[in-house]
Amino acid sequence: MTMIKALRKFPLWLSLALLPVLGCRTLPHCSSSVAEKKPVVDPILLSRHVLEVNSQGFLFNLRSTNRTRQVIKTREDLRDYLKTNVFAGFQESGKKKLMLFVHGGLNDRKEGMEHFWRDYGEVLRGEYYPVFVVWPSGWKATYVEHLLWVRQGVRADTFNQKLFSLSTSPFVLLADLGRALTRLPMVIANNSRSDAETTTPIRIREGGAAVQQYQELAREDYAASIGDDYSRTSDRFLRDSSYWATLPLKYFMASLIDGLGKGAWDNMLRRTQEVYPARMDIRALAGTKQMGETNSLSEPSEPKAAQTKRSLTKNQQKRAERYAAAGLPVFIEMLTDVQKRTPGLEVAVIGHSMGSIILNRVVRDAKMDFAHIIYMGAACSIEDFTYSVLPYMKEHPRTQFYSLMLHPVAETGEWFPEFADLPPRGSLLIWIDNFLSNPVTEQERTMGTWRNLFRNGSTGEPMIHRFFTQDGSNLKQRLHFQAFSVGFGGKDHLRPTRFQWNEHPVPKDIAGRCDNPLSHGEFTEVPYWDPNFWWQPVNISGGKPHQSATQ
């Protein structure tokens, strides 16, 4: 989920005054390998490594040479397509490991495909056979659907529904603009509170309780690790000066994003369910098929009771057709069968941002073994994770889970100087917690924010403690929580201890902190497919080495 890409429409001239002093925006990569240049579009290559899903959950036939992209709408055609393309390619590769990657929200088709073009070659050179899920989560498309076609969870399919949706669109727009105006005071308050976290020493905040709780976990050898703060004085001065200079416009931008972004965000959540509606259930398929046949076989001369018996409405019939040919559930169903027939087949699933919401549904429903579950900047709620991944981990004792996060200072302080620093500070996860969503408990805040892990659980203890010991299960060495370091400084720029989470910070130079994401979107610009990236406590903070991701 890349906020910078979503804001490309902003006038570029607004940021010219800042360009001479921006300096570097990322830390170096560990590998000197050059990213793959986009090759000539090869339909065979695409069809073997990409599952492109439309807004209704159907797969596109990427092997089709027609200018108009063909949608696969029957279960039989879908299974044949997956068998002759994705699974045939996997078998021909001779690999025993498959990686399923799901990108986040605020990505249109072009951006979703960029993940594949940029990374598939590097992944193939390793142990994994990559499969990329591309789903429509761009802001423009999701907001238009919210504005024109979706009302209270129901998408307009019939004539009457479409007429109602279109006629009420002006009211929806008015309500969105009204939200931007009326909620402005709370948006300012929530954003100001999170902005203050970038300047307040963490060991002073709330008496340093969160730091003490983290250090207790580290001393007891739990798999939790966070990097240190290397923010340079010059960088902080620039950011602070820009913050105060743009504050009035920042409030205006925040109100617009709140008003016009909330509907888009809700519709992105809706699309995560369209991408993966449910596990394939043969009995459900048979039941809806029988009901559909009842619809078509009913004669007008039959009694009314007989005509309506076990029949489906038009909306239910369309939903049943979408479910039967839903691309990702059918792929998981077939992958489960392949795994049963292939001893030693290892599957890793990786989700960035909203991709974790989709994968929570997959993990919760799947009847297969995942060797590794990796979330990067997870936008799912802590509660969703608790009821999806944790029960799965208890039933599958060999599965390893990794949650990769930004440093809290990087999370709350993410800024966009290329847009004159006008958008509100904070990553997308901060925006979700502050105004795009409405968490009614602390458990409903985002999972991929380090600070949220140390908020109150239902019993009063930090939520990260409950993860490791929930229901008496011991997941001490199988749940991994890692936040990276922050700042562009070297060894000499390590900030004072009162700003650090680690008991004994170990200074590192910039080269020693390579492949260290500093913004939400950077997670997809580092080698997320490499097991050495998933867990590296020694490199991150000098902590105790736990088992590696390859064990």
Side-chain angles (χ1 to χ4, degrees):
M1 193 177 292
T2 308
M3 297 306 303
I4 291 176
K5 291 179 180 178
L7 296 168
R8 291 297 185 197
K9 300 295 184 181
F10 267 90
L12 186 59
W13 64 267
L14 290 174
S15 61
L16 291 181
L18 288 175
L19 288 178
V21 291
L22 290 183
C24 57
R25 294 295 312 281
T26 63
L27 291 173
H29 292 293
C30 297
S31 173
S32 59
S33 60
V34 180
E36 292 283 331
K37 292 184 179 180
K38 181 177 178 180
V40 177
V41 175
D42 181 355
I44 296 178
L45 182 65
L46 281 173
S47 66
R48 292 193 166 195
H49 293 283
V50 177
L51 303 177
E52 185 182 357
V53 186
N54 73 0
S55 61
Q56 296 181 317
F58 293 123
L59 281 194
F60 286 105
N61 182 351
L62 299 180
R63 199 156 187 170
S64 174
T65 56
N66 295 335
R67 178 170 297 182
T68 302
R69 292 187 296 159
Q70 179 183 354
V71 177
I72 306 173
K73 290 192 173 182
T74 69
R75 178 176 172 82
E76 293 73 20
D77 290 345
L78 176 59
R79 289 182 63 89
D80 181 67
Y81 173 83
L82 292 172
K83 180 180 178 180
T84 56
N85 291 283
V86 179
F87 290 104
F90 178 52
Q91 184 176 11
E92 292 173 12
S93 72
K95 295 181 180 294
K96 292 293 184 179
K97 296 183 179 182
L98 183 143
M99 180 203 80
L100 181 70
F101 173 79
V102 186
H103 67 71
L106 291 177
N107 281 248
D108 56 23
R109 181 178 189 268
K110 178 182 177 181
E111 291 159 348
M113 285 295 186
E114 281 180 2
H115 298 300
F116 165 71
W117 292 121
R118 185 183 64 234
D119 300 331
Y120 86 94
E122 280 292 321
V123 182
L124 272 176
R125 279 191 279 272
E127 298 179 299
Y128 285 96
Y129 182 88
V131 177
F132 294 81
V133 177
V134 176
W135 60 289
S137 60
W139 178 86
K140 181 179 178 180
T142 51
Y143 184 76
V144 168
E145 188 174 41
H146 152 78
L147 183 65
L148 300 180
W149 304 118
V150 178
R151 296 293 177 268
Q152 297 301 108
V154 179
R155 194 186 192 284
D157 286 326
T158 66
F159 174 80
N160 288 338
Q161 289 174 338
K162 291 179 180 178
L163 180 62
F164 175 80
S165 295
L166 290 174
S167 62
T168 56
S169 293
F171 306 132
V172 174
L173 179 60
L174 183 63
D176 290 345
L177 295 175
R179 172 189 172 92
L181 178 63
T182 59
R183 279 180 43 85
L184 179 59
M186 281 308 303
V187 171
I188 292 175
N190 288 334
N191 283 352
S192 298
R193 179 174 59 178
S194 61
D195 291 345
E197 293 183 4
T198 63
T199 58
T200 307
I202 185 59
R203 298 200 184 194
I204 296 176
R205 197 177 309 140
E206 297 176 348
V211 174
Q212 295 173 21
Q213 292 159 3
Y214 158 68
Q215 291 179 0
E216 288 174 4
L217 289 173
R219 282 193 295 268
E220 295 174 11
D221 207 33
Y222 283 89
S225 177
I226 183 172
D228 297 316
D229 189 341
Y230 293 83
S231 303
R232 298 180 299 195
T233 302
S234 58
D235 293 331
R236 297 198 304 274
F237 176 78
L238 171 62
R239 292 161 59 91
D240 292 346
S241 301
S242 176
Y243 176 84
W244 292 109
T246 60
L247 192 59
L249 289 175
K250 201 181 299 293
Y251 287 155
F252 173 73
M253 287 298 303
S255 68
L256 285 182
I257 294 173
D258 176 42
L260 302 180
K262 169 64 174 173
W265 164 253
D266 288 343
N267 210 43
M268 288 178 211
L269 289 176
R270 180 182 177 277
R271 289 192 176 186
T272 64
Q273 298 187 36
E274 296 293 335
V275 172
Y276 191 88
R279 181 180 70 246
M280 281 291 115
D281 188 329
I282 301 300
R283 290 176 298 179
L285 291 172
T288 52
K289 181 179 180 181
Q290 183 179 356
M291 291 181 185
E293 291 173 349
T294 301
N295 285 352
S296 60
L297 293 175
S298 296
E299 298 292 338
S301 59
E302 293 182 10
K304 186 174 181 180
Q307 291 182 39
T308 58
K309 183 180 180 181
R310 301 195 69 217
S311 62
L312 297 174
T313 66
K314 290 183 178 179
N315 279 351
Q316 290 170 340
Q317 184 68 35
K318 289 183 178 180
R319 167 59 69 181
E321 292 170 357
R322 292 201 296 267
Y323 170 70
L328 187 55
V330 173
F331 171 77
I332 295 296
E333 176 191 39
M334 296 178 68
L335 181 59
T336 303
D337 293 337
V338 170
Q339 188 180 59
K340 291 177 180 177
R341 301 193 307 266
T342 310
L345 172 58
E346 181 178 301
V347 178
V349 291
I350 304 176
H352 175 230
S353 198
M354 288 190 78
S356 64
I357 300 176
I358 295 174
L359 288 181
N360 275 351
R361 299 176 65 83
V362 173
V363 169
R364 186 167 59 237
D365 285 350
K367 300 297 182 182
M368 65 177 297
D369 292 322
F370 297 116
H372 306 286
I373 302 171
I374 303 96
Y375 288 174
M376 304 184 298
C380 66
S381 70
I382 291 174
E383 185 174 46
D384 189 17
F385 166 80
T386 301
Y387 289 107
S388 300
V389 175
L390 292 185
Y392 181 90
M393 296 287 290
K394 296 169 189 174
E395 296 176 2
H396 297 78
R398 292 183 296 179
T399 301
Q400 299 286 327
F401 172 80
Y402 306 87
S403 180
L404 309 181
M405 294 160 278
L406 297 179
H407 191 284
V409 173
E411 195 84 67
T412 56
E414 184 172 342
W415 68 323
F416 308 97
E418 59 269 60
F419 304 111
D421 194 22
L422 294 182
R425 293 283 173 89
S427 73
L428 184 74
L429 303 190
I430 298 299
W431 291 13
I432 293 171
D433 285 341
N434 279 355
F435 50 82
L436 291 181
S437 68
N438 184 34
V440 296
T441 66
E442 290 172 293
Q443 289 91 332
E444 293 184 9
R445 294 173 70 89
T446 51
M447 165 73 186
T449 305
W450 175 267
R451 187 68 181 86
N452 285 344
L453 299 181
F454 294 89
R455 296 188 185 276
N456 297 330
S458 56
T459 61
E461 63 182 330
M463 278 180 274
I464 191 170
H465 281 259
R466 295 290 295 164
F467 294 160
F468 287 115
T469 60
Q470 192 176 40
D471 298 333
S473 301
N474 187 357
L475 302 176
K476 183 175 182 178
Q477 294 300 323
R478 297 200 294 124
L479 294 177
H480 305 75
F481 300 92
Q482 176 171 281
F484 292 84
S485 63
V486 63
F488 298 110
K491 288 183 177 181
D492 297 336
H493 295 93
L494 184 67
R495 299 193 72 187
T497 304
R498 65 179 183 276
F499 292 95
Q500 310 293 355
W501 286 74
N502 289 298
E503 190 170 5
H504 302 291
V506 179
K508 292 183 176 295
D509 56 25
I510 292 180
R513 297 190 294 125
C514 57
D515 286 336
N516 185 116
L518 296 175
S519 65
H520 189 67
E522 278 188 59
F523 278 110
T524 59
E525 299 171 10
V526 292
Y528 55 84
W529 58 86
D530 186 353
N532 293 320
F533 175 72
W534 303 339
W535 183 241
Q536 44 182 323
V538 175
N539 293 338
I540 292 298
S541 62
K544 296 179 181 179
H546 302 282
Q547 69 180 86
S548 67
T550 57
Q551 289 179 319

